[in-house]
Amino acid sequence: MTVAYRESKANYSGIKPDIYEIIDLETVERDLYNILSDSKGCVREMCSHIMSAGGKRIRPLLVMCCGLVFSPQSPELVHAASAAELIHMASLVHDDIIDESCMRRSRPSINKLWGNHFAVLCGDYLFAKAFGILAQDRLLKSMSYMVEAVQSMCRGEISQAHDRHSTRVNMKRYYERISEKTAIFLKCCCMSGAAAAGADIRSLEAVGEYGLNLGLAFQIVDDILDFCGNADIMGKPKGEDLCQGNITIPIVLLQKNHKYAEWINGVIQGRAYPENVMDEVLKALEDSGAIADSFRAAGRHISKAKTSLKALPASKYTELLFRLTDIVKSRIK
Ligand code: FPP
Ligand code: MG
């Protein structure tokens, strides 16, 4: 199995290389390799495929950084970080089955290469590895945060499927979904790291609040970029979420606009998005101010995330958490 850490570093557009000098993600990468090294046959091939595709490693980065604010690096903290990445990998393997996606991280997905039957089991395998490592180290608090994260992701995926092509997704429901699908996992990563490093209750709450708001901002920016990001950089056509019936914040805001409400609801119910319709949707999103308002919503969560950090002890790691909020924000520009 090849370790693709250096490759993934080069691939990652958002995180500056010096962050990897402050946080020792290379040790996490080696740990992931070790955890998966007893896999055999087809399982080994699938794990190798996933590892070599790399990734941003944002979840282990949060676990490590939030732990290092409170204690020096320990093998337990590294294991907590690896467990978070394994759960993330498992969730993506299952997500690609659900979405029938053929590509992941610019490579063919596991379901594309091995089929759904093998892909379901591969996700389960990674998932079990994650909890195995937490159990082995008796990282019970970290484990309970990861349990919360997985339950939440499942609820989020189910409500997303339930709401597909629905005109009744309001702001409350949208926020519930992105909290469950994305933000609670980031919150739990922060809390897992801090708990593994012995943080007190007040600090745990602060890092949790930070992670939740970072996650909300991250997902909102992602949902905006789906409409107005560069299709070549994103590696997918504009408006793909809407085509799949996934109603996100720019559309929820457009539905509140008197000029466009009736029209966009008709478009959603029609479930067809030829190029000319998608062009009109993009124009309406700009013209109505829905894109600008979505950016403002992301900005509010960035500010909240920054405020939460004031409760933490000052350190280069707290500083790094602060910088991560600006990286999410800079995707906006
Ligand atoms: C990507 O979303 C997927 C998620 C954020 C979570 C998926 C979660 C599950 C399938 C349930 C949890 C399962 C396990 C085994 C832990 P997306 O489809 O919006 O993003 P994409 O464009 O990257 O696919
Ligand atoms: Mg998907």
Side-chain angles (χ1 to χ4, degrees), residues 92 95-96 98-99 101 104 157 160 181 244:
L92 295 182
D95 182 65
D96 287 338
I98 295 167
D99 290 351
S101 293
R104 170 65 62 188
E157 279 282 312
Q160 179 170 301
K181 228 185 80 169
Q244 290 175 349

Side-chain angles (χ1 to χ4, degrees), residues 165 227 238-240 242-244 251 254 260 262-286:
H165 302 289
F227 287 108
K238 282 187 181 184
E240 199 175 58
L242 184 59
C243 292
Q244 290 175 349
I251 298 293
L254 192 61
Y260 292 106
E262 205 178 318
W263 170 76
I264 191 65
N265 283 334
V267 170
I268 293 167
Q269 279 160 348
R271 299 185 181 199
Y273 299 94
E275 209 174 307
N276 61 324
V277 172
M278 192 51 83
D279 284 345
E280 279 177 50
V281 171
L282 295 175
K283 243 172 75 201
L285 289 172
E286 286 292 348

Side-chain angles (χ1 to χ4, degrees), residues 24-43:
D24 181 15
L25 280 184
E26 204 135 0
T27 298
V28 177
E29 204 67 20
R30 269 197 300 276
D31 193 45
L32 282 167
Y33 170 78
N34 282 337
I35 294 165
L36 297 174
S37 64
D38 65 353
S39 323
K40 296 195 175 53
C42 219
V43 177

Side-chain angles (χ1 to χ4, degrees), residues 57-71 77 80-85 139 141-146 148-149 182-216 218 305-306 308-309 312 317-318 320-322 324-325 328:
R57 306 293 192 243
I58 196 120
R59 289 153 190 84
L61 180 65
L62 287 173
V63 174
M64 294 287 283
C65 203
C66 288
L68 291 166
V69 171
F70 303 99
S71 291
L77 182 63
S82 298
E85 186 61 16
L139 284 162
K141 281 187 185 157
S142 292
M143 190 188 279
S144 69
Y145 289 123
M146 292 299 108
E148 182 187 343
T182 309
I184 289 176
F185 193 5
L186 297 198
K187 173 189 106 172
C188 289
C189 286
C190 293
M191 296 180 88
S192 165
D200 58 284
I201 291 282
R202 203 172 144 256
S203 303
L204 274 174
E205 277 171 9
V207 295
E209 196 59 21
Y210 164 82
L212 184 76
N213 281 294
L214 186 78
L216 291 171
F218 185 84
K306 284 182 174 167
S308 313
L309 294 178
L312 300 187
Y317 303 109
T318 311
L320 187 59
L321 292 170
F322 195 89
L324 284 177
T325 66
V328 171

Side-chain angles (χ1 to χ4, degrees), residues 92-156:
L92 295 182
V93 172
H94 282 186
D95 182 65
D96 287 338
I97 300 167
I98 295 167
D99 290 351
E100 299 178 23
S101 293
C102 297
M103 297 294 285
R104 170 65 62 188
R105 291 172 175 160
S106 306
R107 292 178 182 211
S109 58
I110 296 289
N111 46 308
K112 168 78 180 167
L113 289 177
W114 281 274
N116 283 353
H117 189 139
F118 281 44
V120 169
L121 296 167
C122 174
D124 291 344
Y125 181 82
L126 294 168
F127 189 53
K129 278 284 185 189
F131 283 97
I133 213 78
L134 295 173
Q136 179 196 298
D137 276 4
R138 294 195 176 80
L139 284 162
L140 277 183
K141 281 187 185 157
S142 292
M143 190 188 279
S144 69
Y145 289 123
M146 292 299 108
V147 167
E148 182 187 343
V150 173
Q151 287 176 350
S152 169
M153 275 193 283
C154 291
R155 277 196 293 267

Side-chain angles (χ1 to χ4, degrees), residues 156 158-178 223 241-242 245-256 264-265 268-269:
I158 290 168
S159 81
Q160 179 170 301
H162 184 264
D163 285 348
R164 207 152 264 177
H165 302 289
S166 166
T167 53
R168 292 219 289 267
V169 179
N170 56 20
M171 204 55 96
K172 182 169 174 280
R173 196 140 174 91
Y174 169 75
Y175 264 99
E176 260 167 28
R177 189 216 302 152
I178 65 166
D223 291 341
D241 285 339
L242 184 59
N246 184 8
I247 309 302
T248 58
I249 187 167
I251 298 293
V252 174
L253 289 168
L254 192 61
Q255 287 174 311
K256 287 185 178 179
I264 191 65
N265 283 334
I268 293 167
Q269 279 160 348

